[in-house]
């Protein structure tokens, strides 16, 4: 059976792929990569949304770190949980910011659920899986310490 470190690394790597997949299934099939490729789009965003976008991109850095550290057994369960939970926290905070800044702009709230692409689904399902696997790793580590404490003590 595959150990949790390897599994979490695979999930994190697959979640990184969502950066290149469509997030909004319109005629343009917009992905986060498209926003990075077209600086005019980022330049037209209010500063609050620009900061939120850069924080969003940083979550992919967290996923990449999880994907790299997982197989070499150097991954902290706490970091895995942080990497998995960050997208949800950023979403809640980001949606609140977007509501206050976005008069007249197209926002995620104004897009019908059926228009969301596979990238959104993969991002949030992968994030949740990383957080759950991180919790499982933490529980497993604490059980191992308790068992080792009883055997040694």
């Amino acid at each position: 059976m595959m150990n949790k470190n390897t599994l979490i690394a695979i999930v994190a790597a697959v979640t990184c792929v969502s950066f290149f997949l469509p997030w909004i299934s319109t005629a343009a099939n917009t992905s986060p990569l498209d926003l990075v490729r077209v600086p005019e789009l980022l330049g037209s965003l209010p500063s609050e949304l620009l900061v939120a976008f850069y924080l969003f991109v940083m979550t992919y850095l967290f996923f990449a770190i999880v994907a790299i550290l997982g197989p070499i057994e150097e991954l902290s369960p706490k970091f895995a949980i942080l990497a998995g939970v960050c997208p949800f926290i950023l979403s809640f905070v980001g949606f609140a910011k977007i509501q206050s800044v976005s008069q007249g702009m197209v926002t995620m709230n104004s897009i019908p659920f059926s228009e969301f692409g596979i990238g959104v689904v993969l991002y949030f399902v992968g994030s949740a899986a990383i957080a759950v696997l991180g919790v499982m790793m933490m529980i497993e580590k604490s059980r191992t310490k308790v068992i080792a404490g009883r055997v040694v003590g």
Side-chain angles (χ1 to χ4, degrees), residues 19-78:
F19 188 78
F20 305 98
L21 297 175
W23 276 56
I24 302 171
S25 298
T26 60
N29 279 333
T30 307
S31 73
L33 180 62
D34 295 331
L35 291 175
V36 174
R37 284 184 182 166
V38 182
E40 296 84 34
L41 287 176
L42 287 178
S44 67
L45 291 175
S47 60
E48 294 91 350
L49 295 182
L50 193 58
V51 169
F53 178 76
Y54 287 129
L55 289 173
F56 161 74
V57 171
M58 285 193 59
T59 63
Y60 284 99
L61 177 63
F62 286 170
F63 298 147
I65 292 170
V66 169
I68 292 167
L69 294 180
I72 59 173
E73 307 273 334
E74 293 295 325
L75 178 62
S76 162
K78 290 178 184 174

Side-chain angles (χ1 to χ4, degrees), residues 9-10 22 35 93-94 113 123 134:
I10 292 169
L35 291 175
V93 172
F113 187 73
Y123 180 75

Side-chain angles (χ1 to χ4, degrees), residues 70-95:
I72 59 173
E73 307 273 334
E74 293 295 325
L75 178 62
S76 162
K78 290 178 184 174
F79 184 78
I81 294 168
L82 175 69
V85 170
C86 264
F88 294 100
I89 293 170
L90 285 174
S91 294
F92 291 123
V93 172
F95 282 136

